[in-house]
């Protein structure tokens, strides 16, 4: 038997702490004893039912996890291997990581980087992994610290916090956009932002083009904010879009793209090829500071995941929430 969060949709949409038998696990080729999972924005949507994230029922949510292989018929993983998982529709179409045990396809797993613990991997989680993909996209497009400032929206959230930290460690001057003025010291002193921008400057409809203020941006908000981000990007700049906290709509114009040559790049972390995943996690292992991970993360037991999901969607949580599934 194992404990998990279980979502059902029979007599209404419900999420509860449940105990299941391992015989109920999906028929995949690698079994993992999970140490830690996390709460991401998508997990919050799944648990609360505020968006149709879950596509089959019953469902164990949790889009990422880290742990140890306990059973395997895969040629790539053996018993005792430390692994992590991000995406692949786990927690949406397939049972996910808010559980003590998972049974998954070997192609979904990524080896845990050398020197990184399973707890540290989930302190980073899908949020840090997505932020790293976005940073790598900017670098691939030729953005350097000499190009100019880089804007990060949703800077107090999971993806935003990591984007600010990673960019700062790479020597970039970072503008952190946030609605939480109380987080100014956290963003500047802990994460390394150079300046703070009130999110209200971008979160309402604006002009097709505004003053050129940043060379690049990482946006996890979408909607009017993304349109405002593009409008304020300098000539030849790059915007990496990786989230939709404000909404899925994009109420922008083509002006930034055809008049300033701005590039808008979509960042998908769910179906990313394995080579990209390994490269992202390798760089995360090199750039992340274990002490800082402790500062921007908090650990909760599995039985607190459901109320924490509501708090996450209400904007009441800063940084990362790690779930100790065995506590």
């Amino acid at each position: 038997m194992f404990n998990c969060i279980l979502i059902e949709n029979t007599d209404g949409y419900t999420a509860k702490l449940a105990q299941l038998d391992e015989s109920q696990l999906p028929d995949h080729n690698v079994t993992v004893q999970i140490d830690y999972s996390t709460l991401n924005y998508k997990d919050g949507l799944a648990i609360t039912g505020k968006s149709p994230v879950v596509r089959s029922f019953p469902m164990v949510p949790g889009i990422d996890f880290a742990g140890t292989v306990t059973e395997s018929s895969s040629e790539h993983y053996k018993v005792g291997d430390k692994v992590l998982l991000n995406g692949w529709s786990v927690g949406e179409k397939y049972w996910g990581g808010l559980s003590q045990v998972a049974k998954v396809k070997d192609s979904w797993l990524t080896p845990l980087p050398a020197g990184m613990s399973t707890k540290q991997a989930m302190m980073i989680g899908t949020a840090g992994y997505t932020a790293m993909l976005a940073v790598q996209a900017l670098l691939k497009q030729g953005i350097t610290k000499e190009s100019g400032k880089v804007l990060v929206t949703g800077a107090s959230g999971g993806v935003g916090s990591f984007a600010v930290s990673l960019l700062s460690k790479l020597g970039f001057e970072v503008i952190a956009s946030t609605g939480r003025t109380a987080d100014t010291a956290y963003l500047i002193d802990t994460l390394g932002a150079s300046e703070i921008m009130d999110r209200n400057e971008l979160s309402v409809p604006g002009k097709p083009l505004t003053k050129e203020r940043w060379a690049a941006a990482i946006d996890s908000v979408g909607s009017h904010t993304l349109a405002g981000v593009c409008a304020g990007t300098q000539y030849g700049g790059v915007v990496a879009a990786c989230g939709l906290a404000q909404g899925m709509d994009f109420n922008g114009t083509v002006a930034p793209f055809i008049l300033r040559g701005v590039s808008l790049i979509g960042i998908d972390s769910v179906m990313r090829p394995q080579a990209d995943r390994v490269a992202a996690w390798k760089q995360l292992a090199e750039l992340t500071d274990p002490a800082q991970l402790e500062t921007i993360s908090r650990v909760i037991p599995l039985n607190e995941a459901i109320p924490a999901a509501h708090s996450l969607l209400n904007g009441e949580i800063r940084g990362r929430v790690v779930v100790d599934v065995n506590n």
Side-chain angles (χ1 to χ4, degrees):
M1 303 293 289
F2 64 94
N3 295 323
C4 66
I5 302 297
L6 188 68
I7 298 173
E8 297 178 297
N9 194 17
T10 49
D11 298 322
Y13 194 99
T14 61
K16 63 182 180 181
L17 184 65
Q19 191 172 73
L20 302 179
D21 190 275
E22 289 197 24
S23 63
Q24 296 174 264
L25 288 167
D27 186 21
H28 297 312
N29 63 347
V30 180
T31 303
V32 179
Q33 179 68 46
I34 298 173
D35 295 331
Y36 297 95
S37 184
T38 66
L39 275 183
N40 300 279
Y41 191 79
K42 188 179 287 185
D43 299 319
L45 293 174
I47 290 171
T48 62
K50 290 188 176 180
S51 183
V53 169
V54 178
R55 299 178 228 176
S56 65
F57 299 91
M59 175 58 59
V60 174
I63 65 173
D64 53 12
F65 64 73
T68 306
V69 174
T70 56
E71 187 176 346
S72 174
S73 59
S74 164
E75 61 183 84
H76 304 293
Y77 296 98
K78 65 183 185 300
V79 173
D81 285 348
K82 299 290 185 179
V83 295
L84 60 88
L85 184 148
N86 309 107
W88 298 114
S89 295
V90 168
E92 302 172 69
K93 291 199 288 188
Y94 312 104
W95 283 18
L98 287 170
S99 171
Q100 292 179 308
V101 184
K103 203 167 185 179
V104 297
K105 295 181 181 180
D106 59 353
S107 59
W108 299 345
L109 295 170
T110 300
L112 189 72
M116 181 181 289
S117 70
T118 53
K119 181 180 179 181
Q120 289 168 341
M122 288 299 98
M123 286 177 168
I124 297 168
T126 290
Y129 156 64
T130 301
M132 191 73 256
L133 292 174
V135 170
Q136 289 179 332
L138 299 186
L139 299 176
K140 188 175 181 180
Q141 292 297 314
I143 298 297
T144 67
K145 58 186 178 182
E146 287 76 26
S147 301
K149 298 177 181 179
V150 179
L151 171 70
V152 175
T153 65
S156 295
V159 175
S161 292
F162 273 101
V164 172
S165 177
L166 292 168
L167 288 165
S168 174
K169 284 185 171 63
L170 289 169
F172 286 91
E173 191 174 350
V174 183
I175 305 171
S177 171
T178 181
R180 304 176 192 166
T181 55
D183 287 348
T184 297
Y186 164 74
L187 291 165
I188 293 176
D189 300 334
T190 301
L191 301 185
S194 301
E195 60 183 277
I196 305 299
M197 174 189 287
D198 190 318
R199 70 180 176 196
N200 291 326
E201 290 188 44
L202 297 169
S203 62
V204 296
K207 297 178 180 179
L209 287 175
T210 58
K211 181 181 178 181
E212 300 176 55
R213 300 173 63 185
W214 40 82
I218 294 175
D219 175 63
S220 61
V221 180
S223 191
H224 295 299
T225 297
L226 178 56
V229 169
C230 292
T233 302
Q234 70 187 40
Y235 190 90
V238 182
V239 177
C242 59
L244 44 69
Q246 187 179 13
M248 289 186 66
D249 56 315
F250 177 51
N251 302 300
T253 74
V254 298
F257 313 119
I258 65 174
L259 297 180
R260 288 188 184 162
V262 171
S263 297
L264 177 59
I265 299 176
I267 304 299
D268 166 59
S269 63
V270 177
M271 305 303 292
R272 202 75 175 201
Q274 183 72 346
D276 291 354
R277 294 169 181 271
V278 172
W281 278 99
K282 180 177 184 296
Q283 194 164 15
L284 282 165
E286 295 168 355
L287 290 176
T288 50
D289 176 2
Q292 189 182 74
L293 289 179
E294 294 286 347
T295 301
I296 66 175
S297 305
R298 67 185 179 97
V299 181
I300 63 171
L302 185 61
N303 63 5
E304 292 182 14
I306 294 174
H310 290 270
S311 298
L312 180 65
L313 293 193
N314 290 334
E316 299 166 356
I317 290 178
R318 183 184 75 183
R320 301 284 294 138
V321 177
V322 178
V323 182
D324 181 348
V325 298
N326 299 298
N327 183 8

